[in-house]
Amino acid sequence: MNPKEEGKGPLIGSIIVILVLVLGAVYILANKKTVEQPVAEQPAETVDATATGPSDEVADIEAELNANDEASLDASIDTLGKEVIVQ
């Protein structure tokens, strides 16, 4: 067999492997840019941890729980749920 004909198979195989690697890298880089779009962050509501009482009595804890605004807590949970679904 002619030595020139024997060298074509590995050369074509190498070119195909290189093309697949290049196309895979382009695909990964294209998707990476779309995934890393920054999300506009909303200012988080902060709670002052020192606002709670120092007592560990059950009656005092229940009074603090009853004093919390449940409507704002529900709204915060709903907002958090929507943010998780969007992302």
Side-chain angles (χ1 to χ4, degrees), residues 1-2 17 27 36 53 66 68 73 83 85-87:
M1 197 171 256
N2 193 352
V17 169
Y27 177 77
E36 292 181 1
N66 292 334
N68 287 335
L73 181 61
E83 289 176 1
I85 292 172
V86 169
Q87 296 175 358

Side-chain angles (χ1 to χ4, degrees), residues 38-61:
V39 177
E41 293 188 24
Q42 299 174 354
E45 294 180 22
T46 58
V47 177
D48 185 12
T50 61
T52 60
S55 176
D56 59 354
E57 296 296 320
V58 174
D60 293 334
I61 294 172

Side-chain angles (χ1 to χ4, degrees), residues 4-62:
K4 290 183 182 179
E5 291 178 13
E6 292 177 5
K8 289 183 182 180
L11 177 64
I12 292 173
S14 299
I15 291 173
I16 290 173
V17 169
I18 291 171
L19 284 174
V20 168
L21 290 174
V22 169
L23 290 174
V26 169
Y27 177 77
I28 290 173
L29 290 175
N31 283 338
K32 186 176 182 181
K33 289 180 183 178
T34 59
V35 171
E36 292 181 1
Q37 295 291 334
V39 177
E41 293 188 24
Q42 299 174 354
E45 294 180 22
T46 58
V47 177
D48 185 12
T50 61
T52 60
S55 176
D56 59 354
E57 296 296 320
V58 174
D60 293 334
I61 294 172
E62 286 179 353

